[in-house]
Amino acid sequence: QFLERKELVTETGEVSLMGKELLDFMDSAIKRRIVKRKPATTEFEKFWESFPSTNGFTYNNRTFTTTRGIRVNKGGTIEEFDKILNEGAYTADQITNAMLKDVKIRQIESVKKGSNQLTFMQNCKTYLANRAFEPFIDITEVEEMQSSNDSTDI
């Protein structure tokens, strides 16, 4: 529990990035200072600004009214964001792009169904805590590969 609280291991028991740096430091014959990783403020701000502030939006000339705010609890959200980055499985860009893809799909589905699907989106801290972005990581990476392949075909 101590190692998890200090973010040296993840909840699943895997060694985090910070834990790997500590192990490398302990194995090294050269004595140097350990530099604690600073929170990814620039990357977080990009995520924070990209996350919808409310569930209201306009898409394809259809307007869906706002019923609640979903960009809330900035302090808790940055902690969750840094926790995910420290695990080392995802980059900040992957998380942000996956979230943007999720929002885009919800907007398209809202127009198709005639009801606001963004209403079912969790607030930003819960969204990260539940790893709701994970299914969209693969989708965005496949689309990026396809677009780069299309540009090389020209």
Side-chain angles (χ1 to χ4, degrees):
Q1 290 175 340
F2 171 78
L3 295 173
E4 192 175 312
R5 192 174 65 244
K6 293 295 183 180
E7 297 181 355
L8 298 173
V9 297
T10 65
E11 292 173 357
T12 59
E14 297 176 30
V15 179
S16 69
L17 292 178
M18 196 178 335
K20 288 176 185 172
E21 288 175 8
L22 180 60
L23 289 173
D24 290 344
F25 172 79
M26 298 300 291
D27 286 341
S28 175
I30 301 170
K31 296 301 176 197
R32 54 182 162 64
R33 290 181 51 140
I34 294 179
V35 179
K36 187 171 181 180
R37 187 181 74 79
K38 294 180 181 175
T41 53
T42 305
E43 292 96 347
F44 173 74
E45 286 302 323
K46 181 181 174 190
F47 172 82
W48 181 256
E49 291 302 317
S50 300
F51 202 92
S53 58
T54 67
N55 65 341
F57 66 96
T58 300
Y59 185 80
N60 279 358
N61 297 323
R62 294 280 312 266
T63 300
F64 295 90
T65 58
T66 299
T67 58
R68 66 186 182 93
I70 54 178
R71 187 180 355 155
V72 295
N73 190 0
K74 189 172 185 177
T77 304
I78 194 166
E79 287 175 10
E80 202 62 46
F81 190 80
D82 280 336
K83 179 180 170 186
I84 293 168
L85 292 182
N86 187 39
E87 290 171 2
Y90 305 110
T91 65
D93 285 339
Q94 285 177 312
I95 296 168
T96 302
N97 292 337
M99 178 273 302
L100 290 171
K101 185 64 176 177
D102 184 9
V103 170
K104 182 61 102 182
I105 289 171
R106 288 175 191 263
Q107 290 174 336
I108 292 168
E109 286 298 309
S110 296
V111 171
K112 286 180 184 176
K113 294 180 178 181
S115 65
N116 189 347
Q117 300 301 303
L118 211 53
T119 299
F120 303 109
M121 189 162 185
Q122 302 159 324
N123 70 58
C124 49
K125 180 183 183 297
T126 306
Y127 185 84
L128 290 173
N130 291 341
R131 311 295 168 108
F133 61 88
E134 285 181 334
F136 302 95
I137 295 244
D138 291 336
I139 295 170
T140 57
E141 288 177 353
V142 167
E143 288 178 350
E144 288 172 6
M145 286 174 41
Q146 287 175 343
S147 67
S148 67
N149 287 343
D150 290 346
S151 63
T152 58
D153 290 344
I154 297 176

